[in-house]
Amino acid sequence: MKNIAIIMGGYSSEFEISLKSGGVVYQFLDKTKYNGFSVHIFKDKWVYVDEYKNEYPIDRNDFSVMVNGNKITFDAVFNAIHGTPGEDGLMQAYFELLRIPQTSCDYYQAALTFNKRDLLSVLKPYGIKTAVSFYLNKGEHIDTDAIVAKVGLPCFVKPNKSGSSFGISKVKTAAELPIAIEVAYKEDNEIIIESFLDGTEVSVGVINYKGKITVLPMTEIVSENDFFDYEAKYLGKSQEITPARISPELTQKVADTAKRAYEILKMKGFSRSEFIIVNGEPYMLEMNTIPGLTTESLIPQQAKAAGISLEDLFTNAIELALKNN
């Protein structure tokens, strides 16, 4: 039996969603192969939490834990932390130094994809289309005329490094821009302002399944709100239709683009990319490397549509991590 640490929580606004994702991984872990350990990673504490809610501190020197006088070490780590430090490369680099296999991509890919600006800049030369964008760093002068001249209205203001749609605003008038910029700065000191793409939004899961890069059936997002924001994502204010209602040709085109991005970046583990299709062309918005894994989340929905159970999905991730090490 292998000992698997399921890390969850994190230091960002997404910690509650991460705890749910980690709980689902724990629940569906194949108990005949693995001993699962829920490890909560917070700024003030790293602890193993047992089923009775007892907490045991993690020794960060070797990522071990003492439980009733026994030292427990881990054969692999299942990373379910959305946002920092699980999705931005920090935990990946830490485990690489300790030589502990983990289920997500490597630290460079995590850091790159977590930074929307950098991700899109790297993919652009490969012909992957993106929205027109304008970048701002905290403290810089805000020239609303220059922003509107470049990206037009309406536009989206987003923190450069955050997930779950925290801090994102859809801006319809120039007067709303400074307010939206302040909201985004609460999540990050770098922001990205993008032109509004009017089209069909799809979310595409790409995973390495049994050694083969596999594009899962994609999900069409139809939000009741102005865009796929936090409420739409987690509070039922959207329709998520899997598979997406687009033609087979277009499905293939989007799938090829998502797979290409995964290959260009030398990704491992899970990825979920967001695209907006305008006039038959997919435009990439972002890529998530630790996507939600709750039963309502998109990757589990897509895996189900592909005939892959959650137990299979999680076993596959762990086995690949063990094999790659």
Side-chain angles (χ1 to χ4, degrees):
M1 292 278 277
K2 303 260 192 222
N3 288 343
I4 308 297
I6 303 159
I7 59 171
M8 57 189 94
Y11 305 166
S12 76
S13 307
E14 295 183 87
F15 77 92
E16 285 178 11
I17 301 146
S18 169
L19 291 174
K20 280 187 187 166
S21 287
V24 170
V25 175
Y26 181 81
Q27 184 189 337
F28 286 94
L29 208 61
D30 184 342
K31 307 294 188 288
T32 64
K33 291 183 179 167
Y34 313 117
N35 295 315
F37 293 80
S38 296
V39 176
H40 292 197
I41 305 276
F42 291 113
K43 273 184 183 159
D44 57 342
K45 62 181 180 183
W46 289 21
V47 288
Y48 156 54
V49 182
D50 71 12
E51 59 258 51
Y52 307 107
K53 301 280 185 274
N54 297 315
E55 295 187 354
Y56 303 87
I58 294 283
D59 182 344
R60 299 189 199 190
N61 293 301
D62 61 357
F63 200 70
S64 65
V65 63
M66 291 293 285
V67 180
N68 306 328
N70 295 322
K71 178 174 175 166
I72 295 168
T73 57
F74 300 103
D75 298 292
V77 172
F78 195 111
N79 185 349
I81 296 177
H82 313 310
T84 188
E87 201 167 4
D88 57 1
L90 294 177
M91 295 306 290
Q92 288 86 343
Y94 167 73
F95 290 123
E96 186 155 320
L97 288 170
L98 292 178
R99 300 195 168 173
I100 301 174
Q102 51 92 37
T103 55
S104 79
C105 59
D106 294 336
Y107 67 91
Y108 170 74
Q109 282 78 0
L112 176 69
T113 50
F114 197 64
N115 186 312
K116 297 183 185 86
R117 299 176 180 182
D118 291 358
L119 167 71
L120 299 173
S121 305
V122 165
L123 291 175
K124 227 176 200 166
Y126 292 92
I128 291 172
K129 294 180 168 60
T130 61
V132 175
S133 54
F134 191 103
Y135 303 152
L136 266 181
N137 295 329
K138 201 164 194 171
E140 284 180 357
H141 170 64
I142 299 165
D143 183 342
T144 48
D145 293 341
I147 295 167
V148 172
K150 186 165 187 199
V151 301
L153 289 169
C155 63
F156 281 103
V157 178
K158 305 174 177 181
N160 188 35
K161 302 183 292 288
S162 96
S164 289
S165 303
F166 286 109
I168 298 185
S169 308
K170 184 176 179 182
V171 170
K172 293 168 185 165
T173 66
E176 292 169 22
L177 258 176
I179 303 151
I181 288 166
E182 277 316 303
V183 168
Y185 278 146
K186 285 198 176 84
E187 295 291 330
D188 189 16
N189 59 6
E190 300 173 350
I191 63 176
I192 180 167
I193 302 168
E194 289 182 330
S195 60
F196 170 62
L197 295 170
D198 195 3
T200 304
E201 183 166 355
V202 290
S203 190
V204 191
V206 182
I207 59 172
N208 182 330
Y209 189 64
K210 298 183 175 170
K212 183 172 179 250
I213 296 172
T214 304
V215 182
L216 297 172
M218 56 194 71
T219 304
E220 181 183 345
I221 310 293
V222 185
S223 177
E224 286 174 30
N225 295 355
D226 248 353
F227 63 100
F228 195 40
D229 61 4
Y230 183 86
E231 275 194 343
K233 265 184 187 155
Y234 301 106
L235 306 177
K237 293 285 180 101
S238 69
Q239 267 182 295
E240 295 162 4
I241 301 155
T242 311
R245 301 168 300 180
I246 55 177
S247 71
E249 297 77 29
L250 199 45
T251 299
Q252 193 58 51
K253 193 173 197 178
V254 178
D256 289 348
T257 308
K259 186 180 179 193
R260 194 147 167 264
Y262 191 98
E263 290 170 337
I264 289 164
L265 299 171
K266 301 184 177 68
M267 284 296 297
K268 288 179 190 163
F270 298 97
S271 86
R272 200 191 73 224
S273 300
E274 317 302 327
F275 290 91
I276 292 195
I277 303 164
V278 183
N279 300 326
E281 291 294 335
Y283 287 76
M284 190 172 195
L285 299 179
E286 63 179 30
M287 181 188 280
N288 301 285
T289 58
I290 313 279
L293 295 170
T294 68
T295 42
E296 304 84 62
S297 296
L298 297 176
I299 288 275
Q301 281 185 41
Q302 294 174 6
K304 190 178 173 185
I308 302 169
S309 70
L310 286 180
E311 189 178 284
D312 269 357
L313 191 68
F314 301 152
T315 297
N316 177 68
I318 292 164
E319 291 304 317
L320 280 172
L322 290 165
K323 199 171 133 195
N324 283 336
N325 208 45

